Amino acid sequence: MAKQIEVAGLDAYYGAHKAIEGITMTIEPRAVTAFIGPSGCGKSTFLRTLNRMHEVIPGARVEGKVRLEDQDLYGPGVDPVSVRRTIGMVFQRPNPFPTMSIYDNVAAGLRLNGRFSKSELDGIVESSLKGANLWNEVKDRLQKPGSGLSGGQQQRLCIARAIAVRPEVLLMDEPCSALDPISTLAIEDLISSLKRDYTIVIVTHNMQQAARVSDKTAFFNLAGQGQPGKLIEMDETSRIFTNPGQKATEDYITGRFG
Amino acid sequence: MTTVQTGIQPISTSRRVKDRIVHVLVYLAFAIAVIPLVSVLWLVIKNGMHRFDLEFLTHSMRNIGARDAGGGAYHAIIGTLEQVSLASLIAVPIGLLTAVYLVEYGSGGRLARSISFFVDVMTGVPSVVSGLFVLAFWILALGMPFSGFAGAMALSILMMPVVVRSAEEMLRLVPNDLREASYALGVPKWRTIVKVVLPTAFTGIVTGVMLAVARVAGETAPLLLTVFFTDSINNDPFNGPQMGLPLYVFDQAGRPTDTAIDRAWTGALTLILIVMLLNLVARLIAWWRSPAKRGS
């Protein structure tokens, strides 16, 4: 579990529009890497290229290399479905499947991919919900619909659903932006405990959050409207927030723009 | 300070009057729309109840003379049920798969746009034309007999565009978030459609199919040209003329005796009841499948 991701010279396009350009970075295993930067700078796009979710959008394509340890994710013959099974994702808005119960939501990734016995499923559902700090709140109503939970609980349900398929890497696209501070705290605690087992990448607009949860921080920016987003710098979180190498990073962090 | 009105003001008289007028207009429009519906229902029930008995539901018109009372619509009920089920069996899978293609795979391509266009054209096909088509193609050109199946084909042509349109609408309402959530779990696209998208849209699709069934169950013109007439029971929809409730009503209403007219009214009542019953069953299925049933 928990593998390193290496990205080299990555460009991503939406049709003819180049959204991000020339990104090269290494994402460490068993650590939290945060992406920060102004809106529209391509953080989310970049995150979605890491598990080949980018190409789900019609007309979207990627150039460059992404390696998970020694495997080229964009190599010929690589099945994007198996890439997504290996690299899980949590979205900005909680999106539990409305037709499924809490139990079925967590089991969805397993059930839709293969056969498991009832007892195996029970065990995985329980451990995933415990992993997402949700077990105690829902253990008495596993058969109730997932949409009946509060926003923060739904988001933790989505995290449980993502870790139930045992991914190597967990990508989180602004997982707390739709949540209240208490739910946010719960998710942040969860991220800190999950990093023992997973490689975690989180996109956030909240710089305090990046500072609190991440080990490394990458700052993205774009030169202007219509220009592709670029990686400005990436370093230890403590360095980025105290002594960044680039002027743009310092301006952004101190709130002078963005 | 005293003349310039700022802040919160009372509702002006003109707004109050306009509000009243629009209120009255809306209720009036509602009443005008409901009057024909209620009067049709009332007439059908009043005139139809007279012969709505066990004999009507269990007997055919075989050996019932022109002036005889009695007789029933059993043969027509069987015919309608078989024809409409066969039509649904043809039209619903094709229509549903077409809608899935349009929403999930076509994504505005040339093929999807032309399919969409022809579905629109099909929606506008008059029902008698679909009957004529089956008559010309299936019965005259291929030499097949008049049969319930020929009628079902004509009905399915009418059903298909309705099913496609309503299913397409419902599939588009499924949030993209859910598809992405499923992809992100490493679920292939076809399984995502089968296990996530279709169940989410299920209730709406059922409603759409029921509307299509209701529309088609009352069609007379295409049946006239394809299933022909009979006064006898014919349980085999693939062979020989059948009857249908709309045909039965049409036939009986054209006869000069009061007993026949009564049978026509009762036939109409039976048809309405069948459609209502099917609707009820579909709603029950939809309710039973919905997660809300389990309570939140």
Side-chain angles (χ1 to χ4, degrees):
Chain A
M1 279 231 215
K3 291 181 175 174
Q4 169 180 298
I5 300 178
E6 267 178 81
V7 184
L10 187 106
D11 303 340
Y13 298 82
Y14 292 103
H17 172 67
K18 198 184 216 178
I20 50 174
E21 181 180 62
I23 293 185
T24 299
M25 69 161 65
T26 304
I27 295 167
E28 299 294 338
R30 285 189 200 77
V32 179
T33 304
F35 294 170
I36 59 170
S39 294
C41 70
K43 315 176 291 288
S44 293
T45 304
F46 178 57
L47 192 76
R48 291 167 65 96
T49 64
L50 296 180
N51 68 341
R52 298 192 62 168
M53 281 294 285
H54 177 62
E55 63 206 71
V56 168
I57 297 160
R61 65 200 166 82
V62 173
E63 285 170 13
K65 281 219 179 309
V66 180
R67 303 183 73 84
L68 184 68
E69 298 279 308
D70 47 0
Q71 259 194 312
D72 184 359
L73 297 187
Y74 284 90
V78 171
D79 180 6
V81 169
S82 75
V83 170
R84 292 176 204 139
R85 219 169 285 173
T86 318
I87 305 180
M89 191 162 194
V90 175
F91 295 84
Q92 180 172 3
R93 273 192 300 164
N95 50 4
F97 299 126
T99 52
M100 298 184 193
S101 66
I102 293 172
Y103 183 98
D104 291 341
N105 258 288
V106 181
L110 301 165
R111 277 213 186 122
L112 299 182
N113 280 322
R115 292 188 177 283
F116 290 84
S117 71
K118 177 88 175 73
S119 59
E120 268 180 303
L121 272 182
D122 284 349
I124 296 173
V125 167
E126 181 173 344
S127 67
S128 304
L129 282 170
K130 277 180 176 156
N133 271 335
L134 193 60
W135 176 250
N136 285 328
E137 290 157 68
V138 300
K139 66 181 173 207
D140 301 323
R141 45 171 172 157
L142 290 174
Q143 296 310 323
K144 295 273 168 70
S147 42
L149 298 173
S150 75
Q153 287 172 326
Q154 285 188 19
Q155 192 63 301
R156 277 179 284 152
L157 179 62
C158 292
I159 293 174
R161 182 175 68 184
I163 60 181
V165 292
R166 314 267 157 198
E168 319 261 4
V169 180
L170 202 55
L171 307 177
M172 299 181 155
D173 190 357
E174 297 183 47
C176 302
S177 66
L179 305 182
D180 69 289
I182 293 168
S183 305
T184 301
L185 190 67
I187 304 259
E188 286 180 7
D189 287 345
L190 177 58
I191 291 170
S192 310
S193 64
L194 287 176
K195 82 172 179 187
R196 281 196 293 269
D197 300 317
Y198 299 94
T199 304
I200 294 177
V201 184
I202 177 171
V203 168
T204 176
H205 270 132
N206 180 334
M207 276 179 283
Q208 285 82 7
Q209 182 172 60
R212 280 194 300 264
V213 300
S214 72
D215 303 297
K216 290 249 182 138
T217 298
F219 173 63
F220 291 76
N221 201 0
L222 70 177
Q225 205 62 45
Q227 304 279 324
K230 288 181 177 168
L231 174 65
I232 302 299
E233 68 173 309
M234 180 174 180
D235 211 331
E236 298 291 333
T237 298
S238 51
R239 262 186 75 84
I240 289 276
F241 281 96
T242 53
N243 190 13
Q246 300 285 326
K247 179 80 166 61
T249 316
E250 190 180 339
D251 286 353
Y252 182 73
I253 285 164
T254 52
R256 243 167 282 176
F257 85 99
Chain B
M1 188 75 183
T2 47
T3 51
V4 181
Q5 289 199 318
T6 53
I8 300 161
Q9 298 163 21
I11 301 169
S12 66
T13 328
S14 75
R15 269 187 61 191
R16 228 187 276 268
V17 171
K18 274 183 219 156
D19 181 52
R20 275 279 134 234
I21 292 172
V22 173
H23 246 97
V24 170
L25 282 178
V26 168
Y27 280 117
L28 209 66
F30 172 70
I32 290 172
V34 163
I35 286 170
L37 176 71
V38 171
S39 75
V40 163
L41 265 180
W42 187 73
L43 257 183
V44 170
I45 292 172
K46 190 187 80 165
N47 294 323
M49 278 317 278
H50 181 55
R51 272 302 321 275
F52 194 69
D53 47 33
L54 209 62
E55 190 192 356
F56 186 84
L57 294 177
T58 52
H59 285 71
S60 73
M61 288 301 289
R62 193 175 170 87
N63 292 332
I64 304 284
R67 286 196 207 90
D68 293 349
Y74 180 69
H75 58 315
I77 296 171
I78 290 291
T80 286
L81 289 180
E82 285 182 355
Q83 288 149 23
V84 170
S85 331
L86 277 174
S88 310
L89 230 53
I90 301 170
V92 171
I94 297 179
L96 198 55
L97 289 175
T98 306
V100 166
Y101 174 79
L102 285 177
V103 176
E104 304 290 336
Y105 292 95
S107 61
R110 188 183 287 256
L111 181 61
R113 266 180 294 142
S114 53
I115 289 175
S116 209
F117 173 75
F118 283 113
V119 168
D120 278 343
V121 172
M122 270 177 89
T123 316
V125 169
S127 58
V128 68
V129 173
S130 81
L132 269 177
F133 166 70
V134 173
L135 176 72
F137 173 70
W138 182 255
I139 296 173
L140 297 182
L142 296 183
M144 297 296 180
F146 288 111
S147 68
F149 181 65
M153 282 197 293
L155 294 182
S156 69
I157 293 173
L158 297 171
M159 267 185 92
M160 230 177 286
V162 184
V163 173
V164 172
R165 275 283 163 261
S166 57
E168 189 189 351
E169 210 98 309
M170 289 304 136
L171 291 177
R172 282 196 203 287
L173 282 181
V174 174
N176 227 359
D177 291 6
L178 296 180
R179 295 188 182 91
E180 293 207 330
S182 178
Y183 296 152
L185 289 172
V187 179
K189 184 166 184 168
W190 70 271
R191 286 210 86 141
T192 302
I193 293 168
V194 174
K195 295 286 184 181
V196 176
V197 177
L198 286 176
T200 309
F202 183 78
T203 316
I205 291 173
V206 167
T207 309
V209 168
M210 282 325 298
L211 282 177
V213 166
R215 189 206 146 170
V216 131
E219 284 293 350
T220 319
L223 296 186
L224 265 175
L225 300 168
T226 52
V227 307
F228 209 54
F229 281 98
T230 175
D231 281 341
S232 314
I233 296 166
N234 177 8
N235 282 324
D236 181 3
F238 296 98
N239 221 334
Q242 262 194 327
M243 202 54 171
L245 272 170
L247 283 180
Y248 181 84
V249 174
F250 177 74
D251 178 31
Q252 295 295 329
R255 298 187 184 189
T257 54
D258 277 347
T259 49
I261 304 285
D262 282 347
R263 283 195 289 263
W265 280 112
T266 310
L269 177 63
T270 314
L271 186 59
I272 291 177
L273 285 177
I274 287 178
V275 170
M276 269 172 60
L277 212 68
L278 284 176
N279 236 315
L280 200 70
V281 170
R283 300 239 161 256
L284 277 177
I285 294 173
W287 171 82
W288 175 71
R289 281 282 284 95
S290 78
K293 182 197 66 154
R294 279 167 260 162
S296 50

